[in-house]
Amino acid sequence: MVTSILDKVRPDYIQIDCKGHPGYSSYPTKVGNPAPGIEKDALRVWRRETARRGVGLFMHYSGVWDSRAVELHPDWAVTNADGKKNKDITSVFGPYADQLLIPQLKELAGDYRVDGVWVDGECWATVPDYGERATRLFREATGISDPPKTSKDPHWYEWMQFNREAFRKYLRHYVAEVRSVYPDFQICSNWAFTDHMPEAVSVPLNFLSGDYDHRNSVNSARYAGRYLVHQGLPWDLMAWSFSRTPNHDSIPWKQKTAVQLKQEAAIVLALGGGFQAYFSQNRDGSIKPGEMEVMAEVAQFARERQPFCHHSVQIPQIGLLFPTGSYQKESGGLFTRNTGNNRLRGVLQALLEGQNSVDIVSEDMLNRNIKKFPLIVVPEWQQLSRVLCEDLISYVKEGGSLLIIGNETAGFFSEWAAADAGSPTTFKRLGSGQIGIMPDAFGLEYLKNGSKEKRAVLNDAVKALFPDPIVRSEGATDIDLSASMLGNKLTVHLVNTSGPHDKVTYIEKVSPAGPLTLSIRTGKKPARITLQPSGKKCGFRFENGRAIVKIDTVPLYEILVVE
């Protein structure tokens, strides 16, 4: 069974079940809580066969969320705001990591010699702990006598920050403990330092990853991937290979088609990341062989494009601001999505659907790279720090372009520029640069209705502020466009994103998109332009420092390589 997967899919690594949220381990662990009824050690088989082929073996392991550990050790659980013990979530202030998590990871690394772990149920499952020890430490650290119970109470932000740092300490602790004995054991904490936890990487993880939404997956991958590209670590994203109809959770899960998974994979590959897909295992640990035919087809699609996309580096064009401080102050939880994220997502979709090359950037990323971005877009954040605003104004004065969306957000910049009454976009010169202000609310409405009129207003503003991007596109609109460098070669990625992704769960067919004409800023005339993975040489004309190329059709994902 294992070798059949390796033969069909030819993966770089396989991730298998080890311990899910219920807390039962799928192998006869000596330090954890094995599932009842295990007769044979399937993990030995997986490790033996993957090792023979040189394929990495990683474990899916639920960390903070461990219902069985809490059942056996109620004192390990988080205390909720009402004073009751949580029935699923362990406390990052308690002994769970030292008494179960770390010993079990060492067992996997040492006894089984697996290559690494993808720890699930971590940042997104962590909740504030109102237990006696956590409360005492909070009081000692801040001088605040009692932690607030709701986001409307005083000192909520301080309480959230205290619990966020407690999670980081927990993460640093178990990573250091395992690495002290097994330095080559690779550790990834699901959604850590991604859009779910949008902050600078402060724990030495080996790679970043997350499993994006099994519904509306194309838009979810678009969003998650564009934050990861500048985090400075290898990364991948995981698709769910199955889904079910929204608001009908009683309907059974259904397998996605190969073309649907290819489209999801293309979003990730075009940004330089790796791609994995989740297929469920049977109760005995076996897989469903028929499903592997789908993954084999998806894998072949990815392999054909790998030489032209893997580890490519995005060329900074438009930076869409996702400020850590604003997110943390506006969020009602520790590491969760909030309304600010959705406003940002709406702006992102409109920019992408206007064929703009966009990255999502934090203030930490901008501190390192702000002058590399010709245009920075500030979506509708309700709180922005004075220092960040001043940094953005300095960027404009030195020649940058800034687009501010939403009247409330524009208020943070009112001493430097104000919107003109009645105008959809106001443009102001400041120093050597320019500010554009769109006072109307945008993001949530665009997510809801995808208004072409609102998208046109946004993209007209973008063109006015950023008239000379690396790539301009005319023609088909259902194509995500991004520009990157692969070594010394310019690559232009074209991903067909057509389909009602926010309304339909299963995609049976993706209609080809095209034609489109691309104008690529190259400076001097290229020696050649090829369309990959087919290797087709593209005719082009060269004028005013730009190569003009016509593409007849984009079936799913095509890559222009400019040499």
Side-chain angles (χ1 to χ4, degrees):
M1 181 199 70
V2 175
T3 57
S4 72
I5 299 172
L6 303 181
D7 289 339
K8 287 178 182 177
V9 181
R10 297 186 298 115
D12 295 305
Y13 75 82
I14 287 180
Q15 179 190 152
I16 65 168
D17 177 71
C18 175
K19 177 170 76 75
H21 304 323
Y24 289 95
S25 296
S26 59
Y27 71 101
T29 174
K30 295 181 177 65
V31 298
N33 300 306
I38 293 176
E39 296 182 13
K40 294 183 179 179
D41 192 346
L43 177 52
R44 298 283 183 197
V45 178
W46 284 96
R47 175 68 288 185
R48 183 187 69 222
E49 298 307 317
T50 52
R52 284 177 177 174
R53 303 292 190 90
V55 173
L57 182 64
F58 284 69
M59 312 307 294
H60 172 271
Y61 186 102
S62 185
V64 169
W65 186 344
D66 190 320
S67 304
R68 179 60 173 164
V70 167
E71 180 184 0
L72 295 174
H73 305 278
D75 57 309
W76 291 5
V78 155
T79 301
N80 297 327
D82 61 5
K84 296 179 181 178
K85 288 291 186 181
N86 194 296
K87 296 188 180 302
D88 298 307
I89 308 302
T90 62
S91 171
V92 297
F93 296 93
Y96 165 76
D98 287 298
Q99 296 194 27
L100 178 59
L101 172 65
I102 292 168
Q104 195 159 13
L105 295 187
K106 288 180 177 179
E107 178 185 57
L108 292 166
D111 295 355
Y112 286 87
R113 302 198 178 280
V114 302
D115 295 289
V117 65
W118 193 89
V119 189
D120 200 359
E122 291 243 283
C123 70
W124 59 268
T126 303
V127 296
D129 187 359
Y130 290 84
E132 187 277 331
R133 184 167 187 269
T135 300
R136 180 161 42 85
L137 288 170
F138 174 67
R139 189 178 299 121
E140 184 179 292
T142 65
I144 299 169
S145 57
D146 294 307
K149 298 297 176 67
T150 74
S151 59
K152 296 179 181 179
D153 295 335
H155 307 301
W156 179 255
Y157 174 70
E158 291 86 350
W159 176 235
M160 291 293 100
Q161 291 295 76
F162 172 77
N163 279 275
R164 288 180 182 120
E165 180 57 21
F167 173 75
R168 297 183 200 106
K169 288 178 179 177
Y170 151 89
L171 196 55
R172 293 186 195 110
H173 173 60
Y174 84 70
V175 169
E177 286 295 311
V178 175
R179 291 258 184 76
S180 68
V181 183
Y182 301 102
D184 296 329
F185 188 70
Q186 296 189 45
I187 300 173
C188 169
S189 178
N190 181 24
W191 288 120
F193 307 110
T194 69
D195 59 276
H196 285 40
M197 186 180 169
E199 56 189 65
V201 177
S202 59
V203 180
L205 300 170
N206 295 92
F207 66 105
L208 304 180
S209 183
D211 53 324
Y212 55 77
D213 200 326
H214 62 88
R215 299 183 285 223
N216 198 13
S217 300
V218 162
N219 290 322
S220 296
R222 277 169 150 179
Y223 168 64
R226 280 173 172 78
Y227 185 86
L228 284 162
V229 294
H230 289 292
Q231 281 294 67
L233 285 178
W235 63 276
D236 70 16
L237 284 173
M238 179 197 292
W240 286 44
S241 74
F242 48 92
S243 187
R244 59 184 172 194
T245 305
N247 304 318
H248 291 82
D249 288 348
S250 61
I251 296 176
W253 296 91
K254 179 181 175 183
Q255 182 71 38
K256 292 179 180 178
T257 62
V259 72
Q260 184 173 3
L261 287 174
K262 287 179 188 178
Q263 191 178 41
E264 294 178 22
I267 296 289
V268 180
L269 300 176
L271 298 171
F275 177 76
Q276 54 171 317
Y278 164 36
F279 293 79
S280 62
Q281 291 174 246
N282 296 313
R283 290 286 297 163
D284 64 356
S286 63
I287 53 93
K288 299 152 191 171
E291 295 178 351
M292 289 300 104
E293 301 297 336
V294 170
M295 193 57 197
E297 188 175 335
V298 176
Q300 182 180 351
F301 172 86
R303 291 295 190 205
E304 290 169 351
R305 288 154 180 79
Q306 183 175 352
F308 313 105
C309 62
H310 195 213
H311 293 314
S312 61
V313 178
Q314 290 277 95
I315 298 173
Q317 293 286 275
I318 299 175
L320 181 60
L321 184 64
F322 192 163
T324 300
S326 303
Y327 166 87
Q328 291 175 341
K329 288 176 182 176
E330 294 181 30
S331 178
L334 296 180
F335 305 106
T336 57
R337 301 183 182 98
N338 62 15
T339 306
N341 298 47
N342 287 330
R343 292 191 294 264
L344 182 148
R345 291 180 76 154
V347 174
L348 173 66
Q349 278 188 219
L351 288 169
L352 293 176
E353 288 162 8
Q355 278 68 62
N356 295 291
S357 185
V358 186
D359 297 333
I360 299 176
V361 293
S362 67
E363 59 264 68
D364 173 70
M365 296 174 193
L366 289 181
N367 285 341
R368 293 180 272 120
N369 300 302
I370 191 166
K371 291 183 179 179
K372 293 183 179 180
F373 287 92
L375 173 63
I376 295 172
V377 177
V378 183
E380 301 155 82
W381 291 103
Q382 296 174 343
Q383 299 193 55
L384 290 173
S385 76
R386 177 76 181 180
V387 170
L388 176 58
C389 292
E390 290 174 347
D391 287 346
L392 291 171
I393 292 301
S394 295
Y395 155 84
V396 173
K397 289 179 177 178
E398 294 175 11
S401 291
L402 184 68
L403 177 60
I404 303 163
I405 300 175
N407 198 46
E408 190 170 7
T409 308
F412 294 105
F413 300 89
S414 58
E415 73 178 82
W416 298 287
D420 296 332
S423 175
T425 310
T426 299
F427 298 98
K428 305 282 187 179
R429 298 295 307 184
L430 188 63
S432 302
Q434 190 173 194
I435 298 178
I437 304 169
M438 291 176 54
D440 290 346
F442 187 95
L444 293 180
E445 184 179 339
Y446 192 83
L447 274 187
K448 188 181 298 182
N449 59 33
S451 165
K452 292 181 180 179
E453 292 75 21
K454 290 187 78 71
R455 183 172 71 227
V457 171
L458 175 64
N459 284 284
D460 285 346
V462 168
K463 289 175 184 175
L465 292 165
F466 184 29
D468 192 30
I470 289 283
V471 185
R472 289 197 294 257
S473 173
E474 293 182 3
T477 57
D478 288 337
I479 294 175
D480 273 12
L481 183 154
S482 58
S484 62
M485 295 299 297
L486 189 63
N488 61 355
K489 297 177 182 177
L490 170 63
T491 53
V492 179
H493 302 265
L494 307 170
V495 179
N496 180 343
T497 57
S498 62
H501 303 291
D502 59 340
K503 298 179 179 67
V504 176
T505 304
Y506 303 104
I507 305 293
E508 303 289 340
K509 179 182 179 182
V510 177
S511 299
L516 73 160
T517 301
L518 300 173
S519 171
I520 308 171
R521 175 159 47 86
T522 58
K524 62 181 181 180
K525 185 177 181 179
R528 69 184 65 82
I529 299 177
T530 54
L531 190 65
Q532 300 294 353
S534 67
K536 175 186 175 183
K537 291 185 178 179
C538 299
F540 65 92
R541 69 178 191 275
F542 184 74
E543 52 189 49
N544 300 320
R546 286 182 168 269
I548 315 299
V549 186
K550 183 175 180 181
I551 305 296
D552 293 327
T553 183
V554 178
L556 272 178
Y557 174 27
E558 303 293 308
I559 305 160
L560 280 175
V561 180
V562 182
E563 300 175 76

